[in-house]
Every structure is written in C-alpha cells, then in structure tokens.
Amino acid sequence: GNVEARLLLPKAIEAEKEALAIFESACDELSQARARIASRLSETVSQRMPSLAMEGSTFEVVVDTKARKCTDFAAYGATTTTLGTDSVDFFLNHGSSNNNNNRGGGKLEAVASSGEKARLLLAVECELPGSVGAACCRPRSESPRSESEAVSGLLEAVSLLPPVAVVYDEIDSHVGGRAAVAMAEMLADQAMNTRHSDNSNSNDDHATGNTGGGGGGGGHQVIA
C-alpha cells in the first residue's frame, strides 16, 4: 500500500541516481573515444591528401563533446533530427596551420568541390574500412554485447554489415598523373566509382579485370 511505496521510494530514487551516473559515464567515455578517433583520422587523412592532388590542404574532424547533455531530449531526436550528445564537423583547410592569417577553407560541405568530397570520402574509407557501411546500416547482430565484447568485436561487427555501394562521383575530375594512379589503387577495394581520367580507367580496369574500359566517359564500374 502507500506505506510500502513510501519505504521503497528512497531506494528507487537512489537507484535512479546511480543508473544516471553510469549512463553519463558511458556517454563521456564514448565522447572521448570519438575525439581520439577524430584526431587520428584528421592526421592520417591529411597525410594522404598530397597523393590525391590536394597538396597544401588538410582535413580536420572537430568533435564538440559539450554540444548536448545525455539528459537532453534533443540528443534523442525528440525535437530535432539530431541524434547523440556530440556534434561532429568536417573541415577542409587550405594553407599552413602555423599562419592562420593565410589559412582558408571551412566546413567541408560549404567549401569543397564534388571531386574533393569524393577523394576525402575515399581517404576516410581507406583509413577506417567499413565506416561508410557503418554509417548507413546497423550490424546484423541480434544479441546484445557487453562493453568488452563490443570493443574486441568491432571488426567482426563491421564484417556483418550488408553490402553498400559507394559512388565516388567526379573523384578524378581535373586530376591526372600520379594522383590518378594513386586514386585508382585506393579504389581497388571500394564499391563503385564514376570515372573521367584515362589513367584512372586504365589502372582500374587492370585491377578489376574489366575489359570494357574507355576514355574520359562517365561510365560506372563495380569494383569487387
């Protein structure tokens, strides 16, 4: 009755506080992991950019770990389409990071061309294989995993994702020579690309056994 409920209420409140503390700790741990991956990805993708005809530019992933609290309704799409406690932005920067006065660029979606976006997507997928598929689909895993199993089984989870076709539109537009060859080599493990460069066509055809390659047309090819 009411007496029993009053006795149980303090325990329920304390249990709720403990559960919230555990949840907040897990959210913070995930945010810090995202920040570490963002830093690593910024560095490794930037190292690939000179070979992709993007000399003098850098790629930067910025994670705002204070964008939302885990207790905010907005973090769960209640009032917006935004999900999660963190906010992530991708930047394409031009010029030296040592001289901000001569540095240009901005958010990737605002300043990058279609070709630049495609080349950066390719570089990201090469550094984090399966990242595009992971962003599009959920792993085919029905049974829940503990935290340790989730960490150790990350690659296995990615391998369980359904196939995803990635279209690298205009990826080698206005690119030739060594950069086109480098892109063709990187594309060997990717899903689909729209081609324009003779160099990229030639290398791609060799890598995939395609005999129907051609000049600078915009044909599509599925890469196994």
Side-chain angles (χ1 to χ4, degrees), residues 190-206:
Q190 307 306 312
M192 182 181 293
N193 67 94
T194 303
R195 302 166 300 157
H196 297 274
S197 162
D198 288 341
N199 284 338
S200 183
N201 284 349
S202 175
N203 226 32
D204 235 13
D205 295 341
H206 175 72

Side-chain angles (χ1 to χ4, degrees), residues 60-71:
E60 184 179 10
V61 184
V62 177
V63 180
D64 181 3
T65 60
K66 304 298 181 182
R68 289 168 292 276
K69 295 181 179 179
C70 65
T71 52

Side-chain angles (χ1 to χ4, degrees), residues 52 119 122 168 170-173 175-188 193-208 210 213-217 219 221 223:
L52 297 175
R119 292 195 287 276
L122 174 62
Y168 295 105
E170 302 286 344
I171 190 169
D172 54 357
S173 179
V175 175
R178 293 181 179 178
V181 173
M183 282 189 295
E185 293 174 347
M186 293 170 67
L187 282 165
N193 67 94
T194 303
R195 302 166 300 157
H196 297 274
S197 162
D198 288 341
N199 284 338
S200 183
N201 284 349
S202 175
N203 226 32
D204 235 13
D205 295 341
H206 175 72
T208 60
N210 178 46
Q221 179 179 2
I223 301 178

Side-chain angles (χ1 to χ4, degrees), residues 40-49 59 120 123-124 127:
R40 191 192 80 180
L41 192 62
S42 299
E43 180 180 356
T44 56
V45 169
S46 294
Q47 290 173 352
R48 286 183 178 268
M49 290 173 69
F59 177 72
L120 287 172
V124 169
E127 291 299 329

